[in-house]
Each structure stands twice: as structure tokens, then as C-alpha cells.
């Protein structure tokens, strides 16, 4: 079966850094784009960043210059490096693997809390 497992979340102070990981199994990882999403309490889930299979990256405006998405195809793992964290970054962060509408898979999410 397909499995995506996020890790690396936790509590960090404003201005701090965190690196999230998304370990993937059950798919041909290199053929999938990997996306990161987040959902804060009382808010809709929003797209954060994507890295395509050719390593093209895209970011939502609010994280540009602070977050970096990357992937390691040998380890079948995607990463989200988060620097200069702000309280408004607090959310559950989830990863998504997608090849097509039918072949789209989600992880369970990991909590990121930015607070003094």
C-alpha cells in the first residue's frame, strides 16, 4: 500500500527553523510531484510549496524566501526546510504525492507550533 509519513514538527520560537520530512513508500517516487500543505485551526487547508519531478519548485507568496522544498529520490523522501518562522506559520503540515487525479496520496500531517 501507499504510505506517506511526515516527521519533524514541533514547537519552535519565532525566527527559528524546522525541517519537515515526508517519507514515501508504495509508489515510484521519482515520477510524482510532491506538495506541502498546511491547515491552521479554524482555517481552510492551503497550499504551501511544490517540487515537481524535474525539481522545479513553487511557493505560496507568504513563504517565499523563508521555506525551501526539496526531494531525495534515492531516499524516497521530500523535505520542507522552514526558516524565519512566524506565529502565523502555526499549522498542521501535510505532504501530498501526485501523479494524476487518480494517483494522489496524502500523509497524516505533523504539527508545527511557532510561539514564544
Amino acid at each position: 500500500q501507499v504510505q506517506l509519513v511526515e516527521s519533524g514538527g514541533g514547537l519552535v520560537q519565532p525566527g527559528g527553523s524546522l525541517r519537515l520530512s515526508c517519507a514515501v513508500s508504495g509508489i515510484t517516487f521519482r515520477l510524482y510531484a510532491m506538495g506541502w500543505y498546511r491547515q491552521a485551526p479554524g482555517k481552510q487547508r492551503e497550499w504551501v510549496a511544490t517540487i515537481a519531478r524535474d525539481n522545479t519548485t513553487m511557493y505560496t507568496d507568504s513563504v517565499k524566501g523563508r521555506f525551501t522544498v526539496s526531494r531525495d529520490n534515492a531516499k524516497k523522501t521530500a523535505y520542507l526546510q522552514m526558516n524565519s518562522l512566524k506565529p502565523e506559520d502555526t499549522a498542521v503540515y501535510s505532504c501530498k504525492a501526485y501523479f494524476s487525479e487518480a494517483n494522489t496520496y496524502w500523509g497524516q500531517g505533523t504539527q508545527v507550533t511557532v510561539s514564544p
Side-chain angles (χ1 to χ4, degrees):
Q1 77 274 47
V2 179
Q3 194 168 358
L4 282 66
V5 180
E6 300 96 334
S7 61
L11 175 64
V12 65
Q13 293 183 333
S17 297
L18 224 47
R19 187 175 79 153
L20 306 183
S21 298
C22 176
V24 178
S25 61
I27 60 170
T28 305
F29 179 82
R30 64 180 177 84
L31 299 181
Y32 282 71
M34 296 296 300
W36 287 95
Y37 292 74
R38 66 188 182 187
Q39 186 168 29
K43 295 200 164 194
Q44 287 193 294
R45 183 164 58 195
E46 67 170 332
W47 168 74
V48 175
T50 294
I51 182 164
R53 60 199 247 180
D54 68 353
N55 283 337
T56 299
T57 58
M58 293 163 282
Y59 302 90
T60 192
D61 285 345
S62 64
V63 309
K64 284 179 181 174
R66 300 189 297 122
F67 290 12
T68 303
V69 61
S70 61
R71 65 192 295 156
D72 186 333
N73 289 341
K75 295 180 179 178
K76 301 184 72 171
T77 301
Y79 304 94
L80 185 68
Q81 178 68 46
M82 305 184 294
N83 299 327
S84 302
L85 283 162
K86 305 173 179 179
E88 49 262 50
D89 295 319
T90 296
V92 173
Y93 284 72
S94 301
C95 64
K96 180 178 79 173
Y98 49 97
F99 176 77
S100 65
E101 187 69 38
N103 296 104
T104 299
Y105 308 98
W106 288 88
Q108 83 294 333
T110 186
Q111 176 71 227
V112 170
T113 302
V114 185
S115 175

